Amino acid sequence: MELDAWLGKLADELKIGDVELDTDMMHTLLDLARDAAHQIDRPAAPLTCYLVGVAVGRGAALGATAATATAAALAVDD
């Protein structure tokens, strides 16, 4: 299944079809997931995105919140 079709189907299933997920948002989240997976651990990718999503759901801006999370991940020593 194509990514856009999957995301649309999932949004409908979750009853959030009115939520817009544009290309910039997708790149922000994918970059965040990459940084969390590589800097912390693979399971950190979806969990970090989840926490950012909770913050956004509570009113935070996606870009600023993702930047904060990315900075925190990149600041962790190996």
Side-chain angles (χ1 to χ4, degrees):
M1 176 177 267
E2 190 175 315
L3 179 59
D4 288 337
W6 161 247
L7 294 173
K9 178 179 174 43
L10 180 58
D12 289 343
E13 292 289 327
L14 297 174
K15 310 230 185 310
I16 57 169
D18 62 325
V19 173
E20 181 182 342
L21 183 60
D22 64 28
T23 302
D24 289 337
M25 295 168 126
M26 285 193 277
H27 285 293
T28 296
L29 290 168
L30 291 170
D31 289 348
L32 172 60
R34 178 201 60 221
D35 292 338
H38 290 205
Q39 189 65 22
I40 308 300
D41 192 22
R42 291 185 82 151
L47 300 172
T48 300
C49 287
Y50 172 78
L51 291 177
V52 167
V54 170
V56 170
R58 292 183 177 178
L62 174 59
T65 306
T68 298
T70 297
L74 295 177
V76 173
D77 293 332
D78 286 331

